[in-house]
Amino acid sequence: MTRQPESLRIAGRDVPVLTATTVVAGAGAAGLRAAEALAERGQDVIVVTDRLKAGTSRNAGSDKQTYYKLTLAGAAGDSVRELAATLFAGGAMDGDTAVAEAAWSARAFSHLVEAGVPFPANDHGEYIGYKTDHDPRQRATSAGPWTSRSMVERLEGRVRRLGVEVVDHCRVVDLIVSGVGDGARAVGLLLLRTEAPVGDASPFLLVRAAQVVQATGGPAGLHGRSAYPRGQWGASGAALRAGVVAQNLTEWQFGLASVAPRWNVSGSYLQALPRIVSTAADGSDEREFVADALGDYGRLVTWTFLKGYQWPFDIRKASDGSSVIDLIVGRELARGRRVWLDFRADPGGRPLDPAALAPEARAYLTAAGALSGRPVERLRRLNQPAYRLYLERAPRTDLAAEPLEVAVGVQHHNGGLAVDDWWQTSLAGLFAVGEAAGCHGVYRPGGAALNSGQVGALRAATRIVADHWAVADEVDFRAAAAPVVTAASDLVAAAAARFATGRAETGAATLAALQQLFDDHVGLVRSAASVGRALDQVTAWDQALAATAVADASSRRSLDRLFLGRDLLLVARVCLTALADYAALGRSRGSALWTDPAGRPPLAGAAGAAWPDEFRFRLDAGALDDRVQQARHDAASGATTLTWRPRRPLPPPDDQFETVWRCHRQAVD
Ligand SMILES: Cc1cc2nc3c(=O)[nH]c(=O)nc-3n(C[C@H](O)[C@H](O)[C@H](O)COP(=O)(O)OP(=O)(O)OC[C@H]3O[C@@H](n4cnc5c(N)ncnc54)[C@H](O)[C@@H]3O)c2cc1C
């Protein structure tokens, strides 16, 4: 169904308005699942997205992109509470969210199976799993390198069959909020139409709705060095500007990823034991720098293997474990050299010696029949689709014939908008699902992000349907939308007036400068001083934006970059404020090294002496695991308030059937 927009005259401008009971912003795995669940329950739902073919779910993956769920195979025990305890053990994660993610994981997974995502099962129907990072069991499964794309494609098919309208080429600019304080409620969205013809018509579109589901993914545009697919930006700034509370903004995952295409090189890519080499910028002067830095063949092959399933950098494995490799690579990149995985020859300058591998690695490769041949042959035996992926993606790379350039990049934001166990944010009427929500804490099992997105989407849809909230009437909506439309229109008018005087557009340059700043100051290795410098710079840029931005109003791309820059500058500012606060309190934890001159270098003994002081660190050792850092931005004053609240504990088991049944009947009646 394609609905015709009405026109609303706001502050002297005619702006098209679409009305729906619920608007879902974002068409990734989480957003589409929310839209599907709402439509199945009879809701009038509309999906808006900046570019249907963009987003992380549709364009990112790894050797075997992982979905984490309750064990559904074998004789080893598992339970909802045990899975919840694993999620909770990541630190700074709320207990009720952990139980919800565990309890509905089998349901969410089964739905994907029924939708046609090709998760493999044995002849008896068991979904055999494997072990992923931070996983004490074998709960992980995969449909191959493109698991999340398969999810999106199947979910999109179902959403289309249910007749849900998907409005493409609309960037989220702002939330529309009615009321103030405890009475505030999200009543819609302001969007920029990024491909509408330029003319007299408004570049904006309003959506009026009883609920907004924010499923716009992570704020991927902050970093230049990144495993996120190009074209994923996020819209967290819109929620922050509206005063929505965010949490765990300090927690990002870093790890090894190929540069072109951007792709995570976890699992089989490293378990195949390629050489890790570096060259000068022009490709000359090749050195096997990881082997040189470790100076120990057994460590070289064992840690390279382990880095496969211990993929994200983990500071706890940075003194005597596989994460030392990320630091060695990071140090090499900082020296201005390029780093490559070379699958054509064995590491360490000699044929692979299985006796030097740790028993766990040797047993795995033996069982897979992957101990002989060159690394590329081992890779093909372990995972042929992972080899083929680089043949099929641009720029085409045949790993049998050429090396693959890699770097340490950011891949996932564990933090985001704070939600309860129905994925409601601090603003009534606004739900956040998928990576836009800050469900995870410091560590999470690989694959938990996709599960969280599916469970959160279903929980949010269930809640929305139960709430029966009505769409704001036209008078209320106009009053709420007017200041937002006016501010966005004024920004465009002022930026266009500067452009008319001959000044160059600033949108793209702002984004490039921001990414460089984050790469330089807020990467894998950072310090209180580097974060402080970045915060000062970003605050200055953000404060100056309204008075200095330049955009060509006759170019939709120029306007798009203007609003993207505005969104990301605010996200950057709030994230950096959170990081600066953390730096004053905490030591290294999760997927980052915080420089501490009083700490120790990554390797002990002579090898440790070779590390510059910026690599010295001390572990937080879980000191802040029971607390969650929250951030709330006040647009009027420009101040961000930070608080550390106790995390919500794991709720006690609620296991008396008749009691639960009675409550259920009361809720349904
Ligand atoms: C290389 C890589 C490998 C990964 N591997 C795994 C894994 O193995 N297991 C796992 O669990 N997780 C993994 N993740 C993380 C996981 O893929 C993501 O967290 C998840 O796909 C996010 O889904 P989502 O629906 O929340 O967001 P997305 O899939 O990013 O969708 C966001 C949607 O919002 C739209 N959008 C964005 N900004 C705007 C805006 N301003 N206005 C309007 N629309 C907008 C996008 O176009 C898109 O439609 C990986 C991530 C990467 C980058």
Side-chain angles (χ1 to χ4, degrees):
M1 177 185 82
T2 306
R3 55 197 95 202
Q4 288 307 312
E6 297 164 273
S7 183
L8 208 58
R9 189 142 186 95
I10 294 182
R13 302 170 178 94
D14 289 321
V15 186
V17 188
L18 294 172
T19 302
T21 307
T22 301
V23 56
V24 176
L32 290 170
R33 180 66 188 112
E36 183 201 12
L38 286 163
E40 275 172 335
R41 287 158 179 73
Q43 272 248 331
D44 169 34
V45 54
I46 187 171
V47 176
V48 294
T49 190
D50 60 350
R51 206 152 54 81
L52 187 58
K53 298 297 177 201
T56 305
S57 314
R58 202 182 280 268
N59 297 292
S62 60
D63 74 310
K64 324 188 262 298
Q65 199 189 10
T66 300
Y67 193 97
Y68 196 67
K69 47 136 195 55
L70 197 68
T71 303
L72 295 174
D78 199 1
S79 70
V80 166
R81 289 295 167 149
E82 198 185 323
L83 171 51
T86 302
L87 299 172
F88 190 69
M93 179 178 191
D94 286 310
D96 51 359
T97 316
V99 173
E101 288 188 0
W104 281 18
S105 86
R107 183 175 172 185
F109 175 73
S110 300
H111 181 79
L112 294 170
V113 172
E114 296 309 322
V117 180
F119 288 113
N122 67 13
D123 281 353
H124 317 292
E126 294 170 290
Y127 288 91
I128 304 295
Y130 57 90
K131 201 173 157 77
T132 177
D133 42 300
H134 313 305
D135 172 21
R137 293 200 167 275
Q138 297 196 326
R139 296 183 179 124
T141 185
S142 173
W146 292 105
T147 302
S148 57
R149 172 176 287 188
S150 176
M151 289 164 59
V152 167
E153 288 173 348
R154 300 307 190 285
L155 292 171
E156 188 192 340
R158 291 170 82 100
V159 162
R160 300 269 187 202
R161 281 195 291 282
L162 285 162
V164 174
E165 186 180 356
V166 179
V167 185
D168 200 0
H169 305 300
C170 289
R171 177 163 311 290
V172 172
V173 168
D174 270 309
L175 285 171
I176 309 296
V177 179
S178 167
V180 291
D182 289 346
R185 185 173 176 90
V187 293
L189 287 172
L190 177 67
L191 303 155
L192 177 75
R193 298 185 297 159
T194 57
E195 289 219 332
V198 175
D200 294 338
S202 169
F204 299 113
L205 171 69
L206 282 162
V207 180
R208 177 163 63 122
Q211 287 88 201
V212 177
V213 178
Q214 178 146 1
T216 45
L222 288 183
H223 292 84
R225 251 185 204 150
S226 169
Y228 282 99
R230 290 187 191 283
Q232 165 56 23
W233 298 100
S236 309
L240 295 173
R241 200 167 17 260
V244 179
V245 174
Q247 66 185 28
N248 286 330
L249 292 177
T250 52
E251 304 311 311
W252 292 81
Q253 282 188 335
F254 289 83
L256 285 173
S258 55
V259 173
R262 288 177 167 189
W263 197 255
N264 173 318
V265 290
S266 61
S268 321
Y269 292 114
L270 293 162
Q271 287 165 333
L273 302 174
R275 294 166 74 227
I276 308 177
V277 299
S278 72
T279 65
D282 63 2
S284 64
D285 186 27
E286 182 186 291
R287 289 183 215 157
E288 204 177 334
F289 69 104
V290 175
D292 296 343
L294 292 177
D296 178 302
Y297 180 75
R299 269 185 177 171
L300 171 68
V301 287
T302 297
W303 286 358
T304 304
F305 175 89
L306 290 177
K307 184 105 279 289
Y309 65 79
Q310 297 172 350
W311 179 80
F313 173 75
D314 177 351
I315 190 69
R316 296 170 305 184
K317 302 187 183 83
S319 358
D320 193 21
S322 60
S323 287
V324 175
I325 292 181
D326 301 281
L327 291 177
I328 296 171
V329 171
R331 185 179 61 175
E332 196 73 357
L333 292 167
R335 291 170 174 160
R337 292 179 60 84
R338 299 169 74 184
V339 176
W340 312 80
L341 296 186
D342 182 358
F343 291 86
R344 297 167 300 177
D346 282 318
R350 53 166 139 151
L352 180 64
D353 175 5
L357 282 165
E360 171 185 6
R362 193 166 54 243
Y364 186 97
L365 291 174
T366 305
L371 265 178
S372 57
R374 296 180 301 158
V376 67
E377 277 104 36
R378 293 197 285 269
L379 174 65
R380 296 181 69 171
R381 226 162 292 140
L382 284 171
N383 186 341
Q384 174 72 1
Y387 165 71
R388 289 211 57 82
L389 184 114
Y390 282 102
L391 289 176
E392 288 159 6
R393 294 207 60 192
R396 181 182 187 277
T397 307
D398 182 354
L399 300 178
E402 55 203 315
L404 177 70
E405 185 165 14
V406 295
V408 181
V410 71
Q411 107 148 6
H412 186 263
H413 197 193
N414 283 2
L417 302 180
V419 292
D420 66 12
D421 60 348
W422 291 100
W423 274 254
Q424 289 194 97
T425 67
S426 63
L427 175 64
L430 177 69
F431 293 75
V433 301
E435 201 174 328
C439 293
H440 313 286
V442 183
Y443 300 95
R444 65 171 178 85
L450 291 177
N451 179 62
S452 175
Q454 296 301 288
V455 171
L458 187 54
R459 298 279 291 178
T462 307
R463 183 88 236 179
I464 286 169
V465 171
D467 279 355
H468 298 296
W469 204 268
V471 175
D473 68 30
E474 196 178 304
V475 174
D476 280 354
F477 183 72
R478 187 200 304 266
V484 180
V485 174
T486 303
S489 305
D490 288 352
L491 179 65
V492 170
R498 286 181 210 108
F499 184 75
T501 66
R503 293 173 58 187
E505 295 169 48
T506 51
T510 301
L511 292 171
L514 184 62
Q515 292 181 351
Q516 189 64 55
L517 188 79
F518 265 66
D519 285 353
D520 291 347
H521 297 287
V522 205
L524 179 68
V525 177
R526 74 280 293 271
S527 66
S530 71
V531 164
R533 275 195 297 277
L535 176 58
D536 290 346
Q537 180 62 80
V538 163
T539 304
W541 285 339
D542 189 37
Q543 285 170 340
L545 181 91
T548 57
V550 183
D552 175 2
S554 70
S555 156
R556 285 285 182 260
R557 185 177 164 78
S558 183
L559 292 186
D560 191 34
R561 290 293 180 262
L562 171 68
F563 283 104
L564 260 180
R566 184 178 78 138
D567 199 84
L568 276 175
L569 275 181
L570 181 57
V571 177
R573 191 171 166 188
V574 177
C575 274
L576 286 165
T577 307
L579 283 159
D581 173 67
Y582 177 80
L585 274 182
R587 295 179 176 169
S588 292
R589 69 174 185 179
S591 198
L593 184 154
W594 285 92
T595 301
D596 184 340
R600 49 158 303 166
L603 285 171
W611 289 90
D613 278 353
E614 64 177 293
F615 287 88
R616 289 184 169 273
F617 68 96
R618 277 191 287 181
L619 286 179
D620 138 284
L624 296 172
D625 275 5
D626 285 327
R627 296 164 75 193
V628 174
Q629 187 207 46
Q630 292 202 318
R632 188 176 187 285
H633 184 75
D634 177 41
S637 67
T640 297
T641 308
L642 295 162
T643 47
W644 286 83
R645 66 164 171 87
R647 65 166 158 173
R648 301 190 294 269
L650 285 165
D654 204 357
D655 53 7
Q656 222 283 329
F657 179 79
E658 278 70 19
T659 312
V660 172
W661 190 24
R662 190 168 52 249
C663 294
H664 177 80
R665 290 199 312 270
Q666 282 161 0
V668 171
D669 288 347

